[in-house]
Amino acid sequence: MSRIAAVRKEFAASSDVAAARVLSMFAPKGGVGRTTIAFNLAVALGQLGQKTVLIDGSLQFGDLRSFLKVPNDAPSILDLPTDRIAESDLSDVLWRDPSGIDILLAPPRIEMAEMVTARDVDKILSLLRRVYQTIVIDMSAIISDVNLAFLDASDTIIEIVTYDSTTIHNTIAMADTFRSIGYPASKVRYLVNRADNPGGIEPDDLHRALGRIPEHRVVSGGELVVRSNNDGVPFVLADPAAPISLDIARVAAELIGAAQVPVGAGRR
Ligand SMILES: Nc1ncnc2c1ncn2[C@@H]1O[C@H](COP(=O)(O)OP(=O)(O)O)[C@@H](O)[C@H]1O
Ligand SMILES: [Mg+2]
């Protein structure tokens, strides 16, 4: 028994896999800020010294492609071999953004999204876990096989909520589904976006509806966000002192400081 325990301990200490952290930016509704926050959070994590890769998991529309204005022929997730992928394949496929992070782009055309399978997602994530410390996934709003593969592999699902009755309704429905899938409540962390714009909804009512106090909050960034998004530049670099940039930096620090991810956490 002690030999087995020692081997397990050695494995845990030597394995990068255990150290990698997969964070998915998810919401059961579009337009709540997933892509904006995923991009800026990934850059903020990079600034904290984390070797970070951002995956454009919005496979049909490739939100990050339009954000970053990458050429249409830039390689995508589809250019990774599906049978035996190796670390050496990554350098040809990842988009190296001037902001300092690596990005795995979505396919260039809507219909090509179908070519990515849940199995591909598993393989790609287990490879990226060996190479990166933090993996951020920008997700689409649907629950599909591929999205479940992303969510299953996530250590933490950062679910974005806004003060909007449809979003809140869908978030509650989603919590129910996550429960029936068997995700522990601790796998999800809520992030209230545009937290300074309650639009007539009392924060307490939101907390009651969610059944807990959201772990993170990010204020509205107004014009800075629109301008940065249009320029394809993260606002955390364009204006690091802006309140929204400080919020994102704090979320990044909270996520890194958040309880160490136990080996195998988040996987079914
Ligand atoms: N905190 C914020 N402050 C100001 N504008 C924001 C904020 N978060 C998101 N936006 C804006 O809302 C729109 C939708 O954001 P986006 O990141 O594309 O959402 P999603 O990926 O969830 O569909 C964008 O125009 C973006 O500029
Ligand atoms: Mg998006």
Side-chain angles (χ1 to χ4, degrees), residues 161-224:
V161 206
T162 52
Y163 284 106
D164 159 89
S165 54
T166 318
T167 309
I168 296 171
H169 172 268
N170 292 6
T171 304
I172 296 166
M174 204 60 247
D176 210 33
T177 301
F178 284 158
R179 236 188 329 270
S180 44
I181 292 175
Y183 290 171
S186 58
K187 180 166 171 142
V188 176
R189 295 171 76 98
Y190 290 118
L191 183 154
V192 183
N193 189 20
R194 303 172 183 267
D196 53 336
N197 274 337
I201 297 175
E202 286 296 322
D204 276 351
D205 289 339
L206 175 67
H207 304 172
R208 242 191 313 278
L210 298 177
R212 65 190 212 223
I213 296 174
E215 283 77 3
H216 309 286
R217 65 194 301 276
V218 171
V219 292
S220 301
E223 155 114 33
L224 169 66

Side-chain angles (χ1 to χ4, degrees), residues 27 29-37 63 67 138-139 160 193-196 218-223 225-227 229 235 244:
K29 183 158 185 301
V32 295
R34 285 161 305 180
T35 305
T36 305
I37 293 176
D63 289 359
F67 238 68
D138 176 29
M139 294 192 56
I160 301 186
N193 189 20
R194 303 172 183 267
D196 53 336
V218 171
V219 292
S220 301
E223 155 114 33
V225 177
V226 180
R227 199 163 8 98
N229 284 1
F235 53 75
I244 187 171

